[in-house]
Amino acid sequence: MDKFDSNIPIYLQIIDIFKANILNGEYQPGSKIPSVRELGVKFGVNPNTVQRALVELERSKLLRTENRTAGRYISDDQDLIASLKKNEVKSKVKHLLKELKDAGFKDNEILELMKDEMKSS
Amino acid sequence: MDKFDSNIPIYLQIIDIFKANILNGEYQPGSKIPSVRELGVKFGVNPNTVQRALVELERSKLLRTENRTAGRYISDDQDLIASLKKNEVKSKVKHLLKELKDAGFKDNEILELMKDEMKSS
DNA sequence: ATTATTGTATTAGGTACTTAATACAGTAGT
DNA sequence: ACTACTGTATTAAGTACCTAATACAATAAT
């Protein structure tokens, strides 16, 4: 596994890895993920650090634990995944919009900015 | 002065206050700001905490210190202020665009999302 | 029943960060 | 020259946070 950015808590970076891969479909819904110990080895990190990340992901329902020893699974609920993805996106868009409006930009100016950036990438 | 959010470092919140007010024109370019001690009293905070915020603002050229005892002034360079504002905005837009693209959205989808949000606010 | 494997809880060490106390230093104004 | 006002440097205390060690608990597999 690649190295982590030491300025950001490892557990947050693990969360991001899982989130991205689940939301973009790389990790298949319903599939089992490795144990905290295996992941700990893979990431070169203590199992509890993995645990901390996975618990957060359970709170947002992206993962579930069947029972105490059956391991963890990626959520099966594709609607949920889609909806989480949409919500995440919406809140980010909303946040940016608020910032730009507070800075004095008008709707059409904002759209122009977006289009400009799209061109240059 | 109003209270600070205790989850976020005070000096960062002070930075934001100044930044916002300078960029949106509330604090006049070229005008003198109170001393770190006065601001400390105003914010209910140690002068060094104010100092820490103001030093950051100097690094981004929004403030300047003439010499050691003349106090601090808001930048006179309106072009600079406008350009900083533009850069800040651009980088935010860029960042959001990257996130949305990583999540699998296409340009036109992103524009639709923006327009939707604009309507509902 | 036993064993191996899972998740979980508790604790402790280390580290980095934030803030404040205090002392220092330079200059404008008188 | 003196005083009062600037910004600045140093240091210390408190706090919160992150990670890892270790022990515990439950169940699936045999």
Side-chain angles (χ1 to χ4, degrees):
Chain A
M1 190 57 200
D2 0 72
K3 270 288 157 268
F4 291 104
D5 177 343
S6 68
N7 294 321
I8 305 173
I10 295 169
Y11 80 98
L12 290 180
Q13 298 180 64
I14 293 177
I15 288 175
D16 283 343
I17 291 170
F18 272 88
K19 219 179 205 172
N21 285 323
I22 295 173
L23 292 189
N24 73 18
E26 200 131 330
Y27 288 178
Q28 281 305 312
S31 62
K32 183 175 184 175
I33 69 172
S35 73
V36 289
R37 286 171 180 75
E38 283 183 79
L39 289 170
V41 171
K42 177 179 171 195
F43 289 131
V45 120
N46 189 281
N48 276 344
T49 304
V50 175
Q51 166 80 355
R52 176 152 185 191
L54 301 190
V55 164
E56 290 258 319
L57 289 165
E58 277 178 0
R59 283 203 310 126
S60 59
K61 308 288 188 199
L62 283 175
L63 298 180
R64 64 185 153 72
T65 305
E66 284 295 342
N67 60 44
R68 193 152 183 167
T69 60
R72 283 191 171 86
Y73 295 82
I74 292 174
S75 168
D76 224 348
D77 185 341
Q78 309 220 21
D79 289 345
L80 172 72
I81 292 176
S83 137
L84 280 177
K85 182 175 173 180
K86 192 168 184 180
N87 276 350
E88 187 167 294
V89 158
K90 268 184 110 168
S91 85
K92 280 176 186 168
V93 168
K94 201 167 192 168
H95 184 248
L96 180 69
L97 266 180
K98 182 182 180 329
E99 284 193 320
L100 297 200
K101 285 193 173 178
D102 286 350
F105 288 88
K106 297 298 171 200
D107 283 358
N108 52 336
E109 292 176 307
I110 295 172
L111 285 177
E112 282 312 312
L113 276 169
M114 297 286 299
K115 287 176 188 166
D116 286 350
E117 270 312 313
M118 284 171 175
K119 280 178 202 159
S120 66
S121 63
Chain B
M1 191 56 197
D2 358 75
K3 269 287 158 271
F4 291 104
D5 177 343
S6 68
N7 294 322
I8 304 174
I10 296 170
Y11 79 98
L12 290 180
Q13 299 181 63
I14 293 177
I15 287 176
D16 284 343
I17 292 170
F18 273 88
K19 221 178 203 171
N21 285 324
I22 295 174
L23 292 188
N24 74 17
E26 199 131 333
Y27 289 178
Q28 281 307 311
S31 61
K32 184 173 183 176
I33 69 172
S35 74
V36 288
R37 285 169 181 80
E38 283 185 77
L39 288 169
V41 170
K42 176 178 171 193
F43 288 131
V45 118
N46 189 283
N48 276 343
T49 303
V50 175
Q51 166 80 353
R52 177 153 185 189
L54 301 191
V55 164
E56 290 259 319
L57 290 165
E58 277 179 1
R59 283 202 311 127
S60 59
K61 309 288 187 196
L62 282 176
L63 297 180
R64 66 183 151 72
T65 306
E66 284 296 343
N67 60 44
R68 197 159 179 157
T69 59
R72 284 191 172 84
Y73 294 81
I74 292 175
S75 167
D76 222 349
D77 185 343
Q78 308 219 21
D79 289 345
L80 172 74
I81 292 176
S83 137
L84 281 176
K85 181 175 175 182
K86 192 168 185 181
N87 277 349
E88 187 167 293
V89 158
K90 269 185 110 167
S91 85
K92 280 175 184 167
V93 168
K94 201 166 192 169
H95 184 249
L96 180 70
L97 265 181
K98 180 182 180 333
E99 283 193 321
L100 297 199
K101 286 192 171 178
D102 286 351
F105 287 88
K106 297 298 170 199
D107 283 357
N108 53 334
E109 293 176 307
I110 294 172
L111 286 178
E112 281 313 311
L113 276 169
M114 298 285 300
K115 288 176 189 164
D116 285 351
E117 271 311 315
M118 285 172 175
K119 279 176 202 157
S120 67
S121 63

